[in-house]
Amino acid sequence: MRGPSSTVESLFEHLPRKALILVLLLASSLMPLKASGWSGIVLGPSFEFYSISGMSGMDSLVDHSLNLDFDGAYYFAGDIFGLGYGVGAGMIYDTTRHGEDVTALGRFLSIDGRISIAYRHELLEQLDLRFDLGGRFSHRFHHGQDGGGIAGATDSIDAMIRLDLAWELAPSFAVSVLFDLSIPVYSWISGINAAPDGGANGHGVRFMPALAVTYLY
C-alpha cells in the first residue's frame, strides 16, 4: 500500500516541471506586496451634457449637480495596481432642455456607484498621480410636470476615467485634486409618462472636477 508521500511524489512526476514553475511564479506575483490604500470624501460639481430619447421624443439636456462621494482604492501589486471603488450622491440644482431652463424638472437626488482598476505612480516623495479606469452605474430621478412628484427614473451604465493628483500632508492624511470623466454606454428609463420603458439610447458626457480629503493606510 502506498503512503501519502509516495502519492504526492507520483503527482509531481506527472506534472510538467515548467508548468509547475510557472504556476508558482504566478501565485507569488499575486501575493500582496506592501498592500496599502486610501479612502476619503470627494466633493465637487458635475456637468452633464447628453441626449436621451423616450421622455418626449429626443431631448437634449444639460445638468449641473453638486456631488458628494465616498471613494477609495486598495493597491496590492507592488503598491502600484489595485482596485478602486466609490459611492456617491448628487443634488441637481440646474437643468436646461433644448436651451430652456427646466430646473423644476430635474432638481432632485441622483445616486451612483463605481468600480475600477486603479494605478498609482509616485511623482515625488509626497506627491502621487492616481489613475482609474472602470465603470459607473447611476440612477437619476425625474419629477412630473411642474416638478410635482417623482414620475420615473433614468439608469445608466457608464465607462469612466479618473485622474487624481494627491499630496501627502502627513503619514496618514492627503488632499487631492481630481478630474472625473464618464460616457454612457447603455441607458434605460422606467415609469415616465409618454416614454416606453426600456432602452433610452442615451448619449453624452459627464465630467466632474473635485477636491478630496483622504485617509492613507
Side-chain angles (χ1 to χ4, degrees), residues 117-176:
I117 297 172
Y119 170 77
R120 177 171 60 184
H121 176 69
E122 185 178 291
L123 296 176
L124 299 172
E125 185 176 355
Q126 294 179 308
L127 188 66
D128 285 350
L129 176 65
R130 302 168 180 162
F131 175 80
D132 286 70
L133 181 64
R136 169 182 280 112
F137 170 78
S138 61
H139 181 81
R140 176 195 309 274
F141 297 96
H142 292 281
H143 286 271
Q145 294 296 322
D146 300 321
I150 299 174
T154 302
D155 296 305
S156 177
I157 297 175
D158 305 341
M160 60 144 292
I161 185 173
R162 170 180 286 189
L163 288 175
D164 185 353
L165 194 62
W167 181 26
E168 184 178 336
L169 299 179
S172 298
F173 176 75
V175 295
S176 64

Short mmCIF file of all heavy atoms in Angstrom, two decimals, residues 117-176:
data_model
loop_
_atom_site.label_atom_id
_atom_site.label_comp_id
_atom_site.label_asym_id
_atom_site.label_seq_id
_atom_site.Cartn_x
_atom_site.Cartn_y
_atom_site.Cartn_z
N ILE A 117 -10.17 49.69 -12.14
CA ILE A 117 -8.78 49.28 -11.98
C ILE A 117 -7.99 50.53 -11.64
O ILE A 117 -8.07 51.54 -12.35
CB ILE A 117 -8.24 48.63 -13.26
CG1 ILE A 117 -9.02 47.36 -13.58
CG2 ILE A 117 -6.76 48.31 -13.13
CD1 ILE A 117 -8.68 46.76 -14.93
N ALA A 118 -7.25 50.48 -10.54
CA ALA A 118 -6.55 51.67 -10.04
C ALA A 118 -5.04 51.53 -10.24
O ALA A 118 -4.47 50.45 -10.03
CB ALA A 118 -6.87 51.88 -8.56
N TYR A 119 -4.42 52.63 -10.63
CA TYR A 119 -2.97 52.68 -10.81
C TYR A 119 -2.43 53.90 -10.06
O TYR A 119 -3.05 54.96 -10.06
CB TYR A 119 -2.62 52.80 -12.30
CG TYR A 119 -1.17 53.10 -12.58
CD1 TYR A 119 -0.19 52.12 -12.49
CD2 TYR A 119 -0.79 54.39 -12.93
CE1 TYR A 119 1.14 52.41 -12.75
CE2 TYR A 119 0.55 54.69 -13.20
CZ TYR A 119 1.50 53.70 -13.10
OH TYR A 119 2.81 53.99 -13.34
N ARG A 120 -1.29 53.72 -9.44
CA ARG A 120 -0.67 54.82 -8.69
C ARG A 120 0.80 54.95 -9.07
O ARG A 120 1.52 53.96 -9.13
CB ARG A 120 -0.81 54.59 -7.19
CG ARG A 120 -0.13 55.65 -6.33
CD ARG A 120 -0.47 55.50 -4.87
NE ARG A 120 -0.07 54.21 -4.34
CZ ARG A 120 -0.34 53.80 -3.10
NH1 ARG A 120 -1.07 54.57 -2.30
NH2 ARG A 120 0.05 52.62 -2.68
N HIS A 121 1.23 56.19 -9.31
CA HIS A 121 2.63 56.46 -9.66
C HIS A 121 3.16 57.57 -8.77
O HIS A 121 2.54 58.63 -8.65
CB HIS A 121 2.74 56.88 -11.13
CG HIS A 121 4.13 57.26 -11.53
ND1 HIS A 121 5.16 56.34 -11.63
CD2 HIS A 121 4.66 58.46 -11.86
CE1 HIS A 121 6.26 56.96 -12.00
NE2 HIS A 121 5.99 58.25 -12.16
N GLU A 122 4.28 57.33 -8.15
CA GLU A 122 4.88 58.33 -7.26
C GLU A 122 5.68 59.33 -8.08
O GLU A 122 6.72 59.01 -8.65
CB GLU A 122 5.79 57.63 -6.24
CG GLU A 122 6.37 58.59 -5.21
CD GLU A 122 7.24 57.89 -4.17
OE1 GLU A 122 6.69 57.13 -3.36
OE2 GLU A 122 8.47 58.10 -4.21
N LEU A 123 5.18 60.57 -8.13
CA LEU A 123 5.90 61.62 -8.84
C LEU A 123 7.04 62.19 -8.00
O LEU A 123 8.14 62.38 -8.49
CB LEU A 123 4.92 62.73 -9.22
CG LEU A 123 3.79 62.36 -10.20
CD1 LEU A 123 2.86 63.54 -10.40
CD2 LEU A 123 4.37 61.89 -11.53
N LEU A 124 6.71 62.47 -6.75
CA LEU A 124 7.68 62.94 -5.78
C LEU A 124 7.46 62.18 -4.49
O LEU A 124 6.54 61.38 -4.38
CB LEU A 124 7.53 64.45 -5.54
CG LEU A 124 7.74 65.38 -6.76
CD1 LEU A 124 7.36 66.80 -6.41
CD2 LEU A 124 9.18 65.29 -7.25
N GLU A 125 8.29 62.42 -3.50
CA GLU A 125 8.19 61.66 -2.25
C GLU A 125 6.82 61.80 -1.60
O GLU A 125 6.31 60.86 -1.00
CB GLU A 125 9.28 62.11 -1.27
CG GLU A 125 9.32 61.28 0.00
CD GLU A 125 10.46 61.69 0.92
OE1 GLU A 125 11.27 62.55 0.52
OE2 GLU A 125 10.54 61.15 2.03
N GLN A 126 6.19 62.97 -1.73
CA GLN A 126 4.89 63.20 -1.12
C GLN A 126 3.81 63.54 -2.14
O GLN A 126 2.76 64.06 -1.77
CB GLN A 126 5.00 64.32 -0.07
CG GLN A 126 5.87 63.95 1.13
CD GLN A 126 5.96 65.09 2.12
OE1 GLN A 126 6.28 66.21 1.76
NE2 GLN A 126 5.66 64.79 3.37
N LEU A 127 4.05 63.23 -3.39
CA LEU A 127 3.09 63.56 -4.44
C LEU A 127 2.86 62.35 -5.34
O LEU A 127 3.80 61.83 -5.95
CB LEU A 127 3.61 64.74 -5.27
CG LEU A 127 2.64 65.33 -6.29
CD1 LEU A 127 1.45 65.98 -5.61
CD2 LEU A 127 3.36 66.36 -7.18
N ASP A 128 1.60 61.89 -5.40
CA ASP A 128 1.23 60.72 -6.20
C ASP A 128 0.27 61.11 -7.31
O ASP A 128 -0.59 61.97 -7.14
CB ASP A 128 0.53 59.66 -5.34
CG ASP A 128 1.50 58.91 -4.45
OD1 ASP A 128 2.72 59.07 -4.63
OD2 ASP A 128 1.03 58.17 -3.57
N LEU A 129 0.43 60.44 -8.46
CA LEU A 129 -0.54 60.53 -9.55
C LEU A 129 -1.34 59.24 -9.54
O LEU A 129 -0.80 58.14 -9.65
CB LEU A 129 0.17 60.71 -10.89
CG LEU A 129 -0.74 60.73 -12.12
CD1 LEU A 129 -1.66 61.95 -12.09
CD2 LEU A 129 0.07 60.70 -13.41
N ARG A 130 -2.67 59.36 -9.42
CA ARG A 130 -3.55 58.19 -9.43
C ARG A 130 -4.38 58.20 -10.72
O ARG A 130 -4.85 59.24 -11.16
CB ARG A 130 -4.49 58.22 -8.23
CG ARG A 130 -3.80 58.26 -6.87
CD ARG A 130 -4.81 58.58 -5.79
NE ARG A 130 -4.23 58.64 -4.46
CZ ARG A 130 -4.82 59.23 -3.43
NH1 ARG A 130 -6.03 59.78 -3.58
NH2 ARG A 130 -4.24 59.27 -2.25
N PHE A 131 -4.56 57.01 -11.25
CA PHE A 131 -5.32 56.84 -12.49
C PHE A 131 -6.29 55.68 -12.33
O PHE A 131 -5.88 54.60 -11.91
CB PHE A 131 -4.36 56.59 -13.66
CG PHE A 131 -5.04 56.28 -14.96
CD1 PHE A 131 -5.56 57.30 -15.74
CD2 PHE A 131 -5.15 54.97 -15.40
CE1 PHE A 131 -6.19 57.02 -16.94
CE2 PHE A 131 -5.78 54.68 -16.60
CZ PHE A 131 -6.30 55.71 -17.37
N ASP A 132 -7.56 55.91 -12.65
CA ASP A 132 -8.58 54.87 -12.55
C ASP A 132 -9.30 54.72 -13.87
O ASP A 132 -9.65 55.71 -14.53
CB ASP A 132 -9.60 55.23 -11.46
CG ASP A 132 -9.05 55.05 -10.06
OD1 ASP A 132 -8.18 55.85 -9.65
OD2 ASP A 132 -9.51 54.13 -9.37
N LEU A 133 -9.56 53.46 -14.24
CA LEU A 133 -10.31 53.14 -15.46
C LEU A 133 -11.32 52.06 -15.11
O LEU A 133 -10.95 50.99 -14.61
CB LEU A 133 -9.36 52.64 -16.54
CG LEU A 133 -9.99 52.28 -17.89
CD1 LEU A 133 -10.59 53.52 -18.54
CD2 LEU A 133 -8.95 51.64 -18.80
N GLY A 134 -12.60 52.34 -15.35
CA GLY A 134 -13.60 51.36 -14.94
C GLY A 134 -15.00 51.72 -15.39
O GLY A 134 -15.19 52.33 -16.45
N GLY A 135 -15.98 51.36 -14.57
CA GLY A 135 -17.38 51.59 -14.92
C GLY A 135 -18.16 52.21 -13.78
O GLY A 135 -17.78 52.10 -12.61
N ARG A 136 -19.25 52.88 -14.12
CA ARG A 136 -20.11 53.54 -13.13
C ARG A 136 -21.57 53.22 -13.45
O ARG A 136 -21.97 53.19 -14.61
CB ARG A 136 -19.89 55.05 -13.15
CG ARG A 136 -20.91 55.83 -12.33
CD ARG A 136 -20.71 57.33 -12.41
NE ARG A 136 -19.65 57.76 -11.52
CZ ARG A 136 -18.47 58.24 -11.92
NH1 ARG A 136 -18.22 58.35 -13.21
NH2 ARG A 136 -17.56 58.60 -11.05
N PHE A 137 -22.35 53.00 -12.40
CA PHE A 137 -23.80 52.87 -12.54
C PHE A 137 -24.45 54.07 -11.86
O PHE A 137 -24.12 54.40 -10.72
CB PHE A 137 -24.31 51.58 -11.88
CG PHE A 137 -25.81 51.52 -11.78
CD1 PHE A 137 -26.57 51.22 -12.90
CD2 PHE A 137 -26.45 51.82 -10.59
CE1 PHE A 137 -27.96 51.19 -12.81
CE2 PHE A 137 -27.83 51.78 -10.49
CZ PHE A 137 -28.59 51.46 -11.62
N SER A 138 -25.34 54.75 -12.56
CA SER A 138 -26.00 55.92 -11.99
C SER A 138 -27.51 55.79 -12.11
O SER A 138 -28.03 55.22 -13.07
CB SER A 138 -25.53 57.21 -12.68
OG SER A 138 -25.85 57.19 -14.05
N HIS A 139 -28.20 56.34 -11.13
CA HIS A 139 -29.67 56.31 -11.07
C HIS A 139 -30.15 57.74 -10.84
O HIS A 139 -29.78 58.39 -9.87
CB HIS A 139 -30.12 55.41 -9.92
CG HIS A 139 -31.61 55.29 -9.79
ND1 HIS A 139 -32.36 54.44 -10.58
CD2 HIS A 139 -32.48 55.92 -8.96
CE1 HIS A 139 -33.64 54.56 -10.24
NE2 HIS A 139 -33.74 55.44 -9.27
N ARG A 140 -30.99 58.21 -11.76
CA ARG A 140 -31.47 59.60 -11.71
C ARG A 140 -32.99 59.62 -11.63
O ARG A 140 -33.68 58.97 -12.42
CB ARG A 140 -31.01 60.34 -12.97
CG ARG A 140 -31.51 61.76 -13.11
CD ARG A 140 -31.30 62.23 -14.53
NE ARG A 140 -29.94 62.02 -14.94
CZ ARG A 140 -28.95 62.88 -14.72
NH1 ARG A 140 -29.20 64.02 -14.12
NH2 ARG A 140 -27.72 62.62 -15.11
N PHE A 141 -33.51 60.36 -10.65
CA PHE A 141 -34.96 60.51 -10.52
C PHE A 141 -35.46 61.66 -11.40
O PHE A 141 -34.78 62.66 -11.58
CB PHE A 141 -35.33 60.81 -9.06
CG PHE A 141 -34.98 59.72 -8.11
CD1 PHE A 141 -33.80 59.76 -7.39
CD2 PHE A 141 -35.82 58.64 -7.91
CE1 PHE A 141 -33.46 58.77 -6.50
CE2 PHE A 141 -35.50 57.63 -7.03
CZ PHE A 141 -34.31 57.70 -6.31
N HIS A 142 -36.68 61.50 -11.92
CA HIS A 142 -37.32 62.56 -12.72
C HIS A 142 -38.62 62.98 -12.05
O HIS A 142 -39.41 62.14 -11.64
CB HIS A 142 -37.62 62.08 -14.14
CG HIS A 142 -36.42 61.84 -14.96
ND1 HIS A 142 -35.71 62.84 -15.56
CD2 HIS A 142 -35.77 60.69 -15.26
CE1 HIS A 142 -34.68 62.34 -16.21
NE2 HIS A 142 -34.69 61.03 -16.05
N HIS A 143 -38.84 64.30 -11.97
CA HIS A 143 -40.10 64.83 -11.46
C HIS A 143 -41.16 64.79 -12.54
O HIS A 143 -40.86 64.71 -13.73
CB HIS A 143 -39.91 66.27 -11.00
CG HIS A 143 -39.17 66.40 -9.72
ND1 HIS A 143 -39.78 66.39 -8.50
CD2 HIS A 143 -37.84 66.54 -9.47
CE1 HIS A 143 -38.87 66.53 -7.55
NE2 HIS A 143 -37.69 66.62 -8.11
N GLY A 144 -42.40 64.88 -12.11
CA GLY A 144 -43.51 65.01 -13.04
C GLY A 144 -43.59 66.43 -13.57
O GLY A 144 -42.71 67.26 -13.34
N GLN A 145 -44.65 66.74 -14.28
CA GLN A 145 -44.84 68.08 -14.82
C GLN A 145 -44.85 69.11 -13.70
O GLN A 145 -45.44 68.88 -12.64
CB GLN A 145 -46.14 68.15 -15.62
CG GLN A 145 -46.14 67.29 -16.88
CD GLN A 145 -45.09 67.75 -17.87
OE1 GLN A 145 -44.88 68.96 -18.05
NE2 GLN A 145 -44.44 66.81 -18.54
N ASP A 146 -44.19 70.24 -13.93
CA ASP A 146 -44.09 71.33 -12.96
C ASP A 146 -43.44 70.87 -11.66
O ASP A 146 -43.67 71.45 -10.60
CB ASP A 146 -45.48 71.91 -12.65
CG ASP A 146 -46.16 72.46 -13.90
OD1 ASP A 146 -45.46 73.07 -14.73
OD2 ASP A 146 -47.38 72.26 -14.03
N GLY A 147 -42.62 69.83 -11.74
CA GLY A 147 -41.88 69.40 -10.56
C GLY A 147 -42.69 68.64 -9.55
O GLY A 147 -42.24 68.42 -8.42
N GLY A 148 -43.90 68.20 -9.89
CA GLY A 148 -44.74 67.54 -8.91
C GLY A 148 -44.51 66.04 -8.85
O GLY A 148 -44.85 65.31 -9.78
N GLY A 149 -43.97 65.55 -7.74
CA GLY A 149 -43.79 64.12 -7.53
C GLY A 149 -42.73 63.51 -8.42
O GLY A 149 -42.20 64.14 -9.33
N ILE A 150 -42.42 62.23 -8.16
CA ILE A 150 -41.44 61.51 -8.94
C ILE A 150 -42.17 60.73 -10.03
O ILE A 150 -42.98 59.87 -9.75
CB ILE A 150 -40.62 60.55 -8.06
CG1 ILE A 150 -39.86 61.36 -6.99
CG2 ILE A 150 -39.65 59.75 -8.90
CD1 ILE A 150 -39.16 60.49 -5.98
N ALA A 151 -41.89 61.06 -11.28
CA ALA A 151 -42.58 60.43 -12.40
C ALA A 151 -41.85 59.19 -12.90
O ALA A 151 -42.45 58.35 -13.56
CB ALA A 151 -42.74 61.42 -13.53
N GLY A 152 -40.57 59.07 -12.64
CA GLY A 152 -39.83 57.93 -13.14
C GLY A 152 -38.35 58.10 -12.90
O GLY A 152 -37.93 58.90 -12.08
N ALA A 153 -37.57 57.32 -13.62
CA ALA A 153 -36.12 57.33 -13.39
C ALA A 153 -35.39 56.97 -14.67
O ALA A 153 -35.93 56.30 -15.55
CB ALA A 153 -35.76 56.36 -12.28
N THR A 154 -34.17 57.42 -14.76
CA THR A 154 -33.26 57.04 -15.83
C THR A 154 -32.05 56.37 -15.19
O THR A 154 -31.46 56.91 -14.25
CB THR A 154 -32.80 58.26 -16.65
OG1 THR A 154 -33.93 58.92 -17.18
CG2 THR A 154 -31.88 57.83 -17.77
N ASP A 155 -31.69 55.20 -15.69
CA ASP A 155 -30.50 54.49 -15.21
C ASP A 155 -29.47 54.43 -16.33
O ASP A 155 -29.83 54.38 -17.51
CB ASP A 155 -30.86 53.08 -14.76
CG ASP A 155 -31.80 53.09 -13.56
OD1 ASP A 155 -31.45 53.72 -12.56
OD2 ASP A 155 -32.88 52.49 -13.66
N SER A 156 -28.21 54.41 -15.94
CA SER A 156 -27.16 54.43 -16.95
C SER A 156 -25.94 53.65 -16.46
O SER A 156 -25.57 53.71 -15.29
CB SER A 156 -26.76 55.88 -17.25
OG SER A 156 -25.70 55.94 -18.16
N ILE A 157 -25.34 52.90 -17.38
CA ILE A 157 -24.04 52.27 -17.15
C ILE A 157 -23.03 53.04 -17.97
O ILE A 157 -23.17 53.17 -19.20
CB ILE A 157 -24.07 50.79 -17.55
CG1 ILE A 157 -25.07 50.03 -16.67
CG2 ILE A 157 -22.68 50.17 -17.41
CD1 ILE A 157 -25.25 48.59 -17.06
N ASP A 158 -22.01 53.58 -17.31
CA ASP A 158 -21.04 54.45 -17.96
C ASP A 158 -19.64 53.87 -17.92
O ASP A 158 -19.28 53.15 -16.97
CB ASP A 158 -20.99 55.82 -17.26
CG ASP A 158 -22.35 56.49 -17.17
OD1 ASP A 158 -23.24 56.10 -17.93
OD2 ASP A 158 -22.49 57.40 -16.34
N ALA A 159 -18.86 54.19 -18.94
CA ALA A 159 -17.41 53.98 -18.89
C ALA A 159 -16.81 55.23 -18.26
O ALA A 159 -17.22 56.35 -18.56
CB ALA A 159 -16.86 53.76 -20.29
N MET A 160 -15.85 55.05 -17.37
CA MET A 160 -15.30 56.20 -16.66
C MET A 160 -13.77 56.16 -16.62
O MET A 160 -13.15 55.11 -16.67
CB MET A 160 -15.83 56.27 -15.23
CG MET A 160 -15.51 55.08 -14.36
SD MET A 160 -15.17 55.51 -12.62
CE MET A 160 -13.63 56.40 -12.76
N ILE A 161 -13.20 57.36 -16.55
CA ILE A 161 -11.76 57.53 -16.38
C ILE A 161 -11.55 58.65 -15.39
O ILE A 161 -12.31 59.63 -15.36
CB ILE A 161 -11.08 57.83 -17.74
CG1 ILE A 161 -9.57 57.88 -17.58
CG2 ILE A 161 -11.61 59.11 -18.35
CD1 ILE A 161 -8.84 57.99 -18.91
N ARG A 162 -10.55 58.49 -14.53
CA ARG A 162 -10.30 59.50 -13.49
C ARG A 162 -8.81 59.72 -13.31
O ARG A 162 -8.02 58.77 -13.26
CB ARG A 162 -10.92 59.06 -12.16
CG ARG A 162 -10.51 59.93 -10.98
CD ARG A 162 -11.14 59.47 -9.69
NE ARG A 162 -12.54 59.82 -9.64
CZ ARG A 162 -13.29 59.69 -8.53
NH1 ARG A 162 -12.77 59.19 -7.43
NH2 ARG A 162 -14.55 60.04 -8.54
N LEU A 163 -8.44 61.00 -13.22
CA LEU A 163 -7.07 61.39 -12.89
C LEU A 163 -7.09 62.12 -11.56
O LEU A 163 -7.95 62.96 -11.32
CB LEU A 163 -6.49 62.30 -13.97
CG LEU A 163 -6.13 61.63 -15.30
CD1 LEU A 163 -5.67 62.69 -16.30
CD2 LEU A 163 -5.03 60.59 -15.11
N ASP A 164 -6.13 61.80 -10.71
CA ASP A 164 -6.13 62.29 -9.33
C ASP A 164 -4.70 62.62 -8.93
O ASP A 164 -3.81 61.77 -9.02
CB ASP A 164 -6.73 61.21 -8.42
CG ASP A 164 -6.89 61.65 -6.98
OD1 ASP A 164 -6.42 62.75 -6.63
OD2 ASP A 164 -7.47 60.89 -6.21
N LEU A 165 -4.47 63.85 -8.51
CA LEU A 165 -3.15 64.27 -8.04
C LEU A 165 -3.23 64.46 -6.53
O LEU A 165 -3.93 65.36 -6.04
CB LEU A 165 -2.74 65.58 -8.72
CG LEU A 165 -1.27 66.00 -8.60
CD1 LEU A 165 -0.36 64.96 -9.24
CD2 LEU A 165 -1.06 67.37 -9.24
N ALA A 166 -2.56 63.58 -5.78
CA ALA A 166 -2.68 63.55 -4.32
C ALA A 166 -1.39 64.01 -3.66
O ALA A 166 -0.30 63.55 -3.99
CB ALA A 166 -3.01 62.13 -3.85
N TRP A 167 -1.55 64.91 -2.70
CA TRP A 167 -0.42 65.46 -1.95
C TRP A 167 -0.51 64.97 -0.51
O TRP A 167 -1.48 65.26 0.20
CB TRP A 167 -0.44 66.99 -2.01
CG TRP A 167 0.70 67.64 -1.28
CD1 TRP A 167 1.94 67.12 -1.04
CD2 TRP A 167 0.71 68.96 -0.72
NE1 TRP A 167 2.73 68.02 -0.36
CE2 TRP A 167 1.99 69.16 -0.14
CE3 TRP A 167 -0.24 69.98 -0.64
CZ2 TRP A 167 2.34 70.34 0.50
CZ3 TRP A 167 0.11 71.16 -0.01
CH2 TRP A 167 1.39 71.33 0.56
N GLU A 168 0.48 64.24 -0.07
CA GLU A 168 0.51 63.69 1.29
C GLU A 168 1.02 64.76 2.26
O GLU A 168 2.18 65.15 2.25
CB GLU A 168 1.42 62.46 1.35
CG GLU A 168 1.43 61.76 2.69
CD GLU A 168 2.31 60.52 2.71
OE1 GLU A 168 2.54 59.95 1.63
OE2 GLU A 168 2.77 60.13 3.79
N LEU A 169 0.12 65.22 3.14
CA LEU A 169 0.48 66.24 4.12
C LEU A 169 0.99 65.64 5.41
O LEU A 169 1.70 66.31 6.18
CB LEU A 169 -0.74 67.12 4.42
CG LEU A 169 -1.32 67.90 3.22
CD1 LEU A 169 -2.53 68.70 3.66
CD2 LEU A 169 -0.26 68.80 2.61
N ALA A 170 0.63 64.40 5.69
CA ALA A 170 1.04 63.68 6.90
C ALA A 170 1.06 62.20 6.55
O ALA A 170 0.53 61.79 5.53
CB ALA A 170 0.08 63.97 8.06
N PRO A 171 1.69 61.36 7.40
CA PRO A 171 1.77 59.92 7.08
C PRO A 171 0.43 59.26 6.79
O PRO A 171 0.38 58.28 6.06
CB PRO A 171 2.43 59.34 8.34
CG PRO A 171 3.25 60.46 8.88
CD PRO A 171 2.47 61.70 8.60
N SER A 172 -0.66 59.75 7.35
CA SER A 172 -1.96 59.12 7.14
C SER A 172 -3.00 60.09 6.60
O SER A 172 -4.21 59.86 6.72
CB SER A 172 -2.48 58.50 8.45
OG SER A 172 -1.62 57.49 8.90
N PHE A 173 -2.57 61.18 5.97
CA PHE A 173 -3.51 62.20 5.53
C PHE A 173 -3.03 62.82 4.23
O PHE A 173 -1.85 63.15 4.07
CB PHE A 173 -3.67 63.26 6.60
CG PHE A 173 -4.54 64.42 6.20
CD1 PHE A 173 -5.92 64.29 6.17
CD2 PHE A 173 -3.98 65.63 5.85
CE1 PHE A 173 -6.73 65.35 5.79
CE2 PHE A 173 -4.78 66.71 5.48
CZ PHE A 173 -6.15 66.56 5.45
N ALA A 174 -3.96 62.98 3.27
CA ALA A 174 -3.62 63.61 1.99
C ALA A 174 -4.81 64.39 1.46
O ALA A 174 -5.96 64.10 1.79
CB ALA A 174 -3.20 62.55 0.97
N VAL A 175 -4.51 65.39 0.66
CA VAL A 175 -5.54 66.11 -0.08
C VAL A 175 -5.24 65.94 -1.56
O VAL A 175 -4.08 65.74 -1.96
CB VAL A 175 -5.58 67.61 0.29
CG1 VAL A 175 -5.97 67.78 1.74
CG2 VAL A 175 -4.23 68.27 0.02
N SER A 176 -6.27 65.98 -2.39
CA SER A 176 -6.04 65.76 -3.81
C SER A 176 -7.00 66.59 -4.65
O SER A 176 -8.08 67.00 -4.20
CB SER A 176 -6.19 64.27 -4.15
OG SER A 176 -7.51 63.82 -3.92
#
